[in-house]
Amino acid sequence: MEYELKESPTLDTQALEVSLGPQHPSTHGVFRMNVKLDGETIVQLKPVMGYLHRNHEKLAENMSWLGSMPYTDRLDYICSMTNNFAYALAVEKLAGLEVPERAQYVRVIMAELTRLVNHTLLVGFLLNDLGAFFTPVLYAFREREKILDLFEAVAGSRMMCNYFRFGGVKIDVTDDFIPQVKQIIRRYPKFLDEFETLLSENEILMARCQKVGILPRELAINAGVSGPMLRASGVPYDIRKVDHYSIYDRFPFRVPIGEAGDVYDRYYVRILEMRESIKILEQAVREIPAGPTISPVGLTGAKSPRNFKPPKGDAYGRIEAPKGELGFYVVSDGSAKPYRYHVRAPSFINLTILEDMCLGYKVADAIIILGSIDIVLGEVDR
Amino acid sequence: MYGFGVIKGMLVTLKNFVLSYFTKERLTTVQYPEERLPEKERFRNFPFLIYDDKPEDLRCVSCDICAKECPPKCITIVRDTDAQGKPLKRPKVFDIDFSICMNCGICEEVCPFDAIFMDHEFELGEYGRFEELNYHKEDLLKSAEYFAQIRPTDAALIEAKRRQKEAKGAHPTSPTPPIPPPSS
Amino acid sequence: MNQLDQIFVTAKASLLEAAEHFLPDWMVVVVSILVSIIAIAVFGPVTMMYLTLLERKLVGRIQNRYGPNRVGAWGLLQPIADGVKMLTKEDIVPLGADRFAHFLAPVIIVIPALLIFSVIPFGRGMTAVDLSVGVLLFLALASTTTIWIFVASWGSRNKFSLLGGMRSVAQMISYEIPMVLSIVPVLLVVGSFSTVRIVEAQDGWSWFVFTPWGVLGFLIFFLTGVAEVNRTPFDLPEGESEIVAGFHTEYSGMKFALFYMAEFMNTFSVSAIVATLYLGGWQGPWLPSWLWFFIKTYALICVMMWFRGTFPRFRVDQLMGFAWKFLLPLSLVNLLVAGLWLHLKPPANHLVSLAALALSLVVLYQANRPDIPKKRNYRYAEAN
């Protein structure tokens, strides 16, 4: 899409070229946008990424299958559990491993808690980009801390959990895990209500976010966008409902759809998704059975990773990560190290239409549009 | 009406302001270092080597599995030899470079001899980045009582397992049998 | 009580009396002026320092945390620590920047901020200079700040600063007009520009905010005052998340401290002028007059800080739209209503003015309808 710079017959005008970033308080990491401005209107926008490239895919070829599990934590460093989940799913597909019931329930609980963690952070930081001086961020973090404390009690670390293994999870949950999850489920709707009162009906927020950064439905599908961004543009596509992976069939939850595809829709769809996640958590916590948390083959695989050799072949495992479709493509040649390992990162693919969404809007809008795409540079650059 | 959303937002902020003087929930600061949060048992920071009675009888037999499985390869092990050059079941050099270690815990998981565990210490500031953060064998040795103190449930499980192995009469340092390939 | 009320006036009078014994007459006049100047020059920066602390603690409590509390009990020595930090920082001037403009802007921007203090009536008989055009001086000085912000942004040779400077100029001149127009009703009723006379006209409980045109005038004047000081939700010029720090990106150390000082002194003086014009200045029962003045001013400052902790900021075109399409017609109508109120006799004047205001509010609301955002309903995907 091209945006025509208005030529003036008498004045000799020039477009102003500004580089937003890489050091910028609001680009969510080291990300750069070369923006051409006509006054305050954006005429062209070219994103520049790669400042955080850490060679993840090549490193995995030198390590055992389990050895890259801690590195997947650091891809999307806010939601480490779902990254682990996607990788474990891909390798289990490749090696044909079964996962016991209790492990499935624990996995679903961790994945939905991670979804809450991620969306809470995103909503807080979107409002920070708008200029609300950190108040929504701190309210969001107050709630998020409780979930992170839970992760620390179970997995040993707040953010780099390294909790999932092929065939189950690393270790069973602690005794007070389920009561604490129940407490979180009780508190969260009240927190969401307070948050919405603070900001969803705020006229300034609505004026800034509505009709800004519109993503039409066809463009979203053509560009390969996934996750809440796609759903906010009106496409009812949720991988949990489409692929029926893990045990998500047993939980009745709804998928919220937006109408206009602007920033406000993306924000609100995420808030509605959080409410649906709470429903899934309620049911999972009620129904979780006793039993082993890792299959026997998986246990031996975890105890001696250098002997874990999946058969030759390839597999693509994908999940509905909080940011979109996170997929891992793994190719095995029968040895203890992957032959090829590729990550389909949602933030990277969602960034490809940043320019189309930003043309014709102001600089201030570009920042919130970027915030609403929800990128994490660890994923974009791998 | 036009201005009401704004006013409702202001009331939420006011509620937080007033309640921050009364409830602990609305004032979540922990005044570190005077107050500290309670330690979680499974918190994993950097590894340490464990010994039973004296620092000389550490459980590590220098099998090198943790060094091989460590994803960023931060462990360096050199096996000890006696006067004739015959290798002993003891490490002479056991270095962990804490500036590389990423606290993943895989070394603890794969050790067949329960010799290396993850510690809780995190106040480890140093003035240099290179030699000061390279911890040698002497710095890494901690007693089994310390382990039982920081991680009671895990220590109890490990003790029970070791006692069971000794009671069965099996050699306490035999490695686990090889894994059959997974069936498709 | 009267003694406490006039404590500062009697202190100054006794000092002058002591000076009269051994100094010639003209020198006593100089001493009298110097005492006022020193009082303001000490009071201004000290206020600003402790206002920064107040803001940090207030916004901190809103955000569920303590403000600064490490440096001295309740953080009372924090401003001094900040001052020392600012003084010892390296003074960076960008390569190719216009050195003269870069240096001059922060130095001169403090001057209007301090000068406004001279016409503020701090208490009964405690105005530094009783000018007969006090309010006009305030308006003139508030406008000059705009130029120096633009000079600062131009002299930084930075595209972000330039954007910030342009936005600031646009914002400040748009908000001047409703501000001036909302002061005019007060001048109509009192008949004089002098701040001292305006406060005296509101004696007892007949503050101007209790009249129909006064409520609206107060709200408009307060909002435009917030816009003039560049505070949230109107803080586009220093919009931190978009253009880093706007016009003061390239300033460090003491120059940044001077900008900061100018902003906080402006905050104080705008709140003080609002309190003077609409809330009755130092009028109030029982307590000394200067105490009433401070209570009112600080209440308004706390409301400004409350705004800062709650709201996101406006976008440029929405900001302009708000000023030109909503506040300007409203302030014109307010002027008309004030005239009506003055002309008619009570109680008819209250009723007529209230009716006129309600009608105009409804009309303006309807006229601005397309710009006002609406709440939406969301649907869920079909179960499959």
Side-chain angles (χ1 to χ4, degrees):
Chain A
M1 226 170 86
E2 283 297 315
Y3 187 80
E4 289 301 314
L5 185 59
K6 286 190 279 285
E7 293 292 325
S8 162
T10 47
L11 278 176
D12 186 19
T13 54
Q14 211 182 9
L16 186 71
E17 281 200 33
V18 177
S19 156
L20 286 171
Q23 296 121 329
H24 191 97
S26 281
T27 52
H28 297 271
V30 273
F31 180 66
R32 184 175 175 200
M33 296 191 279
N34 287 333
V35 175
K36 236 194 213 177
L37 295 175
D38 170 23
E40 282 247 356
T41 318
I42 295 180
V43 173
Q44 194 191 56
L45 185 146
K46 295 236 175 290
V48 179
M49 23 191 141
Y51 289 95
L52 196 58
H53 181 67
R54 295 165 291 177
N55 242 338
H56 179 203
E57 297 185 0
K58 187 70 183 172
L59 271 178
E61 295 179 14
N62 292 331
M63 287 190 294
S64 58
W65 290 91
L66 191 64
S68 23
M69 186 68 91
Y71 284 107
T72 58
D73 282 337
R74 287 145 169 91
L75 270 180
D76 174 2
Y77 37 78
I78 305 173
C79 345
S80 67
M81 292 276 195
T82 45
N83 298 353
N84 286 350
F85 195 178
Y87 183 48
L89 216 60
V91 175
E92 281 159 14
K93 233 191 235 186
L94 183 64
L97 296 174
E98 291 283 325
V99 182
E101 277 295 302
R102 186 176 169 90
Q104 297 271 30
Y105 273 90
V106 169
R107 280 182 171 191
V108 165
I109 293 179
M110 291 301 182
E112 293 309 312
L113 280 175
T114 310
R115 197 177 309 271
L116 284 179
V117 154
N118 176 295
H119 286 335
T120 315
L121 183 133
L122 172 83
V123 164
F125 271 101
L126 181 68
L127 293 162
N128 194 37
D129 289 343
L130 281 168
F133 196 58
F134 244 68
T135 309
V137 172
L138 285 172
Y139 291 167
F141 271 40
R142 188 185 68 209
E143 298 305 316
R144 198 172 163 251
E145 284 296 306
K146 303 193 170 54
I147 302 183
L148 291 180
D149 281 345
L150 209 64
F151 283 172
E152 188 182 4
V154 171
S157 170
R158 281 153 46 109
M159 274 166 56
M160 307 298 156
C161 298
N162 189 18
Y163 184 56
F164 288 49
R165 297 283 179 268
F166 310 128
V169 293
K170 170 178 172 184
I171 188 173
D172 200 359
V173 295
T174 51
D175 292 329
D176 59 346
F177 178 71
I178 301 287
Q180 283 192 344
V181 175
K182 285 191 180 144
Q183 212 178 11
I184 289 181
I185 294 173
R186 253 201 318 271
R187 290 171 57 100
Y188 234 81
K190 285 191 223 122
F191 158 68
L192 280 179
D193 289 335
E194 183 181 312
F195 214 73
E196 283 207 71
T197 318
L198 175 62
L199 285 155
S200 287
E201 292 170 28
N202 191 338
E203 278 82 11
I204 304 178
L205 184 101
M206 288 206 280
R208 285 276 321 254
C209 290
Q210 287 182 357
K211 304 201 190 90
V212 167
I214 296 183
L215 182 64
R217 199 165 176 262
E218 287 70 30
L219 190 61
I221 300 178
N222 285 341
V225 166
S226 57
M229 248 178 98
L230 186 66
R231 291 194 280 280
S233 295
V235 180
Y237 188 77
D238 184 334
I239 298 176
R240 294 174 288 180
K241 296 278 195 192
V242 167
D243 262 2
H244 312 284
Y245 66 91
S246 186
I247 49 165
Y248 275 103
D249 301 344
R250 305 186 202 174
F251 303 104
F253 62 97
R254 297 178 297 178
V255 174
I257 310 284
E259 295 287 341
D262 53 18
V263 171
Y264 191 74
D265 271 350
R266 283 176 225 141
Y267 154 79
Y268 211 78
V269 157
R270 288 186 168 102
I271 293 206
L272 291 174
E273 272 188 18
M274 279 202 265
R275 294 194 196 264
E276 299 298 321
S277 286
I278 296 176
K279 280 196 230 165
I280 299 181
L281 278 174
E282 269 169 6
Q283 188 180 346
V285 159
R286 236 183 8 238
E287 293 179 4
I288 183 169
T293 47
I294 189 166
S295 70
V297 178
L299 186 63
T300 46
K303 285 287 175 211
S304 65
R306 65 197 176 290
N307 292 330
F308 179 75
K309 297 184 173 129
K312 266 198 203 171
D314 58 357
Y316 179 66
R318 63 177 188 163
I319 62 159
E320 177 74 23
K323 297 193 157 62
E325 172 187 333
L326 175 65
F328 280 79
Y329 178 62
V330 283
V331 177
S332 161
D333 58 353
S335 71
K337 297 186 182 174
Y339 178 71
R340 174 76 174 105
Y341 166 94
H342 173 73
V343 179
R344 186 245 188 240
S347 307
F348 184 60
I349 310 279
N350 289 355
L351 264 185
T352 50
I353 37 155
L354 180 64
E355 182 175 7
D356 289 317
M357 280 202 289
C358 283
L359 289 179
Y361 295 104
K362 312 261 183 308
V363 174
D365 297 331
I367 305 284
I368 22 174
I369 295 173
L370 185 67
S372 74
I373 301 182
D374 194 6
I375 62 168
V376 163
L377 262 298
E379 252 186 349
V380 170
D381 292 336
R382 294 185 290 280
Chain B
M1 243 306 286
Y2 183 38
F4 276 171
V6 170
I7 295 180
K8 271 199 265 187
M10 281 175 68
L11 288 175
V12 168
T13 326
L14 185 66
K15 178 174 114 176
N16 269 296
F17 176 73
V18 170
L19 285 180
S20 79
Y21 284 102
F22 298 112
T23 56
K24 188 84 182 86
E25 180 197 296
R26 300 272 178 185
L27 186 67
T28 49
T29 318
V30 171
Q31 302 271 47
Y32 185 84
E34 288 92 20
E35 306 169 6
R36 276 157 211 262
L37 284 171
E39 271 185 12
K40 305 270 187 324
E41 191 187 320
R42 290 188 194 171
F43 171 55
R44 54 169 198 270
N45 210 27
F46 289 117
F48 70 95
L49 287 172
I50 194 169
Y51 62 83
D52 285 309
D53 299 309
K54 299 190 301 296
E56 284 80 38
D57 23 279
L58 54 149
R59 292 186 199 169
C60 173
V61 299
S62 167
C63 66
D64 226 24
I65 289 181
C66 59
K68 290 203 192 86
E69 297 296 344
C70 174
K73 305 276 187 294
C74 64
I75 303 183
T76 314
I77 300 184
V78 171
R79 198 171 254 233
D80 202 2
T81 53
D82 64 3
Q84 281 83 26
K86 203 171 77 136
L88 294 172
K89 285 208 166 123
R90 218 171 46 211
K92 183 162 75 172
V93 170
F94 193 108
D95 285 351
I96 300 186
D97 191 346
F98 277 11
S99 63
I100 301 179
C101 173
M102 60 174 178
N103 312 339
C104 60
I106 286 186
C107 55
E108 171 186 330
E109 239 183 297
V110 299
C111 178
F113 302 101
D114 310 318
I116 184 169
F117 291 101
M118 305 303 278
D119 199 358
H120 283 184
E121 280 275 322
F122 58 92
E123 289 155 326
L124 299 167
E126 297 283 349
Y127 280 101
R129 273 193 295 161
F130 302 106
E131 204 34 55
E132 289 84 348
L133 283 177
N134 192 12
Y135 277 51
H136 304 292
K137 189 175 74 166
E138 300 78 28
D139 309 319
L140 290 170
L141 283 172
K142 300 224 169 122
S143 69
E145 284 84 31
Y146 173 75
F147 179 50
Q149 193 186 24
I150 59 172
R151 285 164 63 171
T153 35
D154 287 343
L157 280 171
I158 303 251
E159 284 305 307
K161 198 174 71 166
R162 286 170 71 82
R163 229 161 277 139
Q164 214 178 27
K165 264 199 203 153
E166 277 179 42
K168 266 203 212 148
H171 199 276
T173 55
S174 65
T176 48
I179 301 107
S183 53
S184 49
Chain C
M1 193 36 80
N2 201 27
Q3 270 185 319
L4 200 59
D5 190 34
Q6 298 293 306
I7 190 168
F8 294 105
V9 180
T10 43
K12 179 175 172 184
S14 48
L15 186 70
L16 286 179
E17 238 184 293
E20 257 177 13
H21 290 305
F22 54 88
L23 286 174
D25 274 341
W26 59 270
M27 207 133 163
V28 174
V29 174
V30 170
V31 167
S32 142
I33 296 175
L34 270 178
V35 166
S36 301
I37 292 179
I38 291 174
I40 291 181
V42 166
F43 176 70
V46 169
T47 315
M48 167 260 174
M49 280 169 31
Y50 283 94
L51 267 182
T52 56
L53 182 67
L54 179 70
E55 164 155 36
R56 286 167 75 172
K57 288 202 84 74
L58 213 72
V59 173
R61 281 278 168 174
I62 290 179
Q63 296 171 352
N64 298 329
R65 56 184 173 94
Y66 299 103
N69 64 353
R70 289 271 155 186
V71 191
W74 292 301
L76 283 174
L77 296 177
Q78 179 77 34
I80 301 179
D82 281 342
V84 171
K85 176 194 87 167
M86 298 281 193
L87 279 171
T88 55
K89 266 197 173 174
E90 180 188 351
D91 182 28
I92 303 175
V93 178
L95 191 70
D98 188 350
R99 292 191 78 97
F100 188 58
H102 192 87
F103 174 76
L104 206 60
V107 171
I108 300 198
I109 204 171
V110 178
I111 299 178
L114 263 181
L115 273 180
I116 297 179
F117 278 58
S118 61
V119 294
I120 297 178
F122 287 99
R124 208 184 305 268
M126 281 170 35
T127 314
V129 181
D130 185 7
L131 279 181
S132 61
V133 287
V135 175
L136 195 58
L137 183 79
F138 161 70
L139 286 174
L141 287 169
S143 317
T144 57
T145 318
T146 319
I147 307 176
W148 297 105
I149 293 183
F150 191 66
V151 169
S153 70
W154 182 257
S156 302
R157 198 178 186 240
N158 180 345
K159 285 173 188 153
F160 286 140
S161 301
L162 195 62
L163 272 177
M166 304 266 213
R167 286 178 179 181
S168 147
V169 169
Q171 175 187 318
M172 285 171 118
I173 54 181
S174 323
Y175 277 86
E176 288 284 325
I177 302 179
M179 184 189 224
V180 173
L181 284 176
S182 59
I183 297 184
V184 175
V186 174
L187 302 174
L188 253 183
V189 173
V190 175
S192 154
F193 271 100
S194 159
T195 48
V196 176
R197 207 78 8 89
I198 292 176
V199 175
E200 282 169 7
Q202 298 176 61
D203 53 295
W205 283 100
S206 65
W207 302 350
F208 289 145
V209 77
F210 294 135
T211 58
W213 54 268
V215 176
L216 207 58
F218 168 66
L219 283 172
I220 297 178
F221 191 31
F222 188 60
L223 285 176
T224 50
V226 171
E228 285 292 317
V229 187
N230 293 337
R231 283 189 76 89
T232 323
F234 304 105
D235 64 347
L236 259 77
E238 39 174 79
E240 191 183 294
S241 52
E242 289 141 15
I243 44 177
V244 194
F247 66 92
H248 53 70
T249 316
E250 300 285 348
Y251 286 92
S252 65
M254 203 56 204
K255 294 182 185 166
F256 177 73
L258 285 175
F259 273 117
Y260 211 46
M261 199 191 299
E263 177 180 330
F264 275 94
M265 285 203 278
N266 270 329
T267 311
F268 182 85
S269 45
V270 160
S271 308
I273 296 280
V274 174
T276 315
L277 291 180
Y278 281 96
L279 289 180
W282 43 257
Q283 301 278 6
W286 308 316
L287 295 170
S289 56
W290 42 272
L291 199 61
W292 266 119
F293 175 77
F294 277 111
I295 291 174
K296 290 176 196 173
T297 310
Y298 273 91
L300 287 174
I301 291 180
C302 288
V303 171
M304 280 197 198
M305 293 177 181
W306 188 8
F307 279 179
R308 184 169 195 199
T310 315
F311 296 141
R313 70 174 70 91
F314 278 111
R315 204 174 59 199
V316 174
D317 52 337
Q318 290 163 355
L319 195 79
M320 301 305 172
F322 186 59
W324 290 99
K325 292 194 274 196
F326 193 74
L327 285 183
L328 178 61
L330 201 59
S331 49
L332 282 171
V333 166
N334 194 29
L335 187 55
L336 180 65
V337 165
L340 272 176
W341 186 85
L342 196 57
H343 189 70
L344 297 173
K345 288 204 195 351
N349 58 358
H350 289 288
L351 294 166
V352 169
S353 41
L354 271 172
L357 275 176
L359 183 66
S360 54
L361 270 172
V362 169
V363 167
L364 270 175
Y365 183 65
Q366 291 298 331
N368 273 325
R369 246 303 172 72
D371 287 345
I372 294 175
K374 295 180 236 336
K375 212 167 145 40
R376 295 174 177 172
N377 287 321
Y378 289 86
R379 61 185 173 92
Y380 293 92
E382 299 305 309
N384 56 344

